[in-house]
Amino acid sequence: MDRKEQIMLALLSLASEAGLRNVSLSQIAQRVGIRKASLYNHFAAKEEIVTALYEYLRAQTRQQGAAISADETVQLRGRSALDILTDGVQQYRDMVEHPQMKAFFRLILSERVFSPDAADILCMETERMLQATRQLFYALQVHGILHFDHIDEDALSYAMTIHGLLEYDMDRALAGNAETTPLIQNYLMAFCQAHRPKSATTKAT
């Protein structure tokens, strides 16, 4: 582990103990075992460490089930829309529920009312989810797996609905209810039915 990683993870550890706002650069340096002046060789401010930590954790835990690159679209063939969307949601859930990423997002969520930097990170994450969803939907449409009359608007509606339902499940878990609801799966089933390719809809009728 290099020095920058040590600094980022020290911030995460300290913030988990005392809250992000209560962590100083001096405390981070002390936790790492370096002088505060040495910390500035790597980061100019605490906000910079927070942003770097977000990118680091996302890179470490990314499974990006919703992001389908051009050379991966072949993986869609022969699979149902419901299976593809279910896998994507599960892979995204696995990413945000990775222990370190989960701890980080808890901190950011608790700070977003007070910190523009925390709010900015949440906006970045939402925008990444939207972009990944748009990429997936274009691939699904190209391969005739689903049909969208207004693909960008449908991607926005889908991503924000899934985002909200995942947050609801996480809030329930924090409240002590470990059992997840069937809301996401029910929504996915209804979404796939509503966006069946027109040829399939015609055959069904």
Side-chain angles (χ1 to χ4, degrees):
M1 183 183 299
D2 66 22
R3 185 67 79 197
K4 291 186 75 170
E5 289 178 282
Q6 291 177 337
I7 292 169
M8 290 185 289
L9 294 179
L11 169 65
L12 180 61
S13 175
L14 288 164
S16 297
E17 297 168 6
L20 192 57
R21 282 173 295 161
N22 299 317
V23 177
S24 68
L25 292 177
S26 297
Q27 290 173 312
I28 296 170
Q30 184 178 15
R31 177 66 62 93
V32 175
I34 61 176
R35 295 188 306 166
K36 182 179 177 180
S38 299
L39 191 150
Y40 287 111
N41 293 329
H42 304 282
F43 297 101
K46 186 172 76 172
E47 292 74 20
E48 190 175 312
I49 304 174
V50 173
T51 302
L53 176 60
Y54 165 64
E55 297 292 351
Y56 168 80
L57 291 176
R58 212 178 194 287
Q60 291 292 308
T61 61
R62 74 171 171 252
Q63 296 179 40
Q64 312 244 1
I68 303 293
S69 64
D71 61 347
E72 292 173 321
T73 55
V74 68
Q75 297 177 15
L76 302 179
R77 295 174 186 151
R79 303 183 65 208
S80 71
L82 182 59
D83 284 346
I84 293 166
L85 294 182
T86 300
D87 286 351
V89 170
Q90 186 57 52
Q91 289 175 20
Y92 189 80
R93 189 198 295 270
D94 289 343
M95 185 191 77
V96 298
E97 291 189 351
H98 181 278
Q100 287 182 328
M101 183 63 91
K102 189 173 184 178
F104 176 76
F105 274 128
R106 282 183 181 175
L107 292 171
I108 294 301
L109 286 166
S110 68
E111 295 287 329
R112 65 178 168 183
V113 176
F114 311 101
S115 168
D117 295 298
D120 188 52
I121 284 173
L122 290 172
C123 287
M124 283 193 291
E125 182 60 29
T126 300
E127 287 159 10
R128 282 180 166 177
M129 188 179 186
L130 287 172
Q131 179 60 26
T133 302
R134 281 192 291 268
Q135 290 174 357
L136 174 60
F137 280 16
Y138 276 104
L140 290 171
Q141 179 126 304
V142 165
H143 289 281
I145 298 171
L146 289 178
H147 172 79
F148 305 98
D149 289 321
H150 307 285
I151 195 165
D152 289 335
E153 291 83 353
D154 290 331
L156 173 63
S157 175
Y158 174 88
M160 297 309 292
T161 300
I162 293 298
H163 193 275
L165 291 173
L166 285 171
E167 281 198 348
Y168 175 59
D169 272 350
M170 286 189 283
D171 287 342
R172 283 169 53 85
L174 283 172
N177 191 336
E179 184 179 352
T180 59
T181 70
L183 293 176
I184 291 178
Q185 199 63 22
N186 290 344
Y187 172 74
L188 293 179
M189 292 171 64
F191 186 88
C192 291
Q193 182 65 27
H195 294 281
R196 292 173 65 192
K198 290 184 177 179
S199 59
T201 303
T202 302
K203 290 177 182 178
T205 57

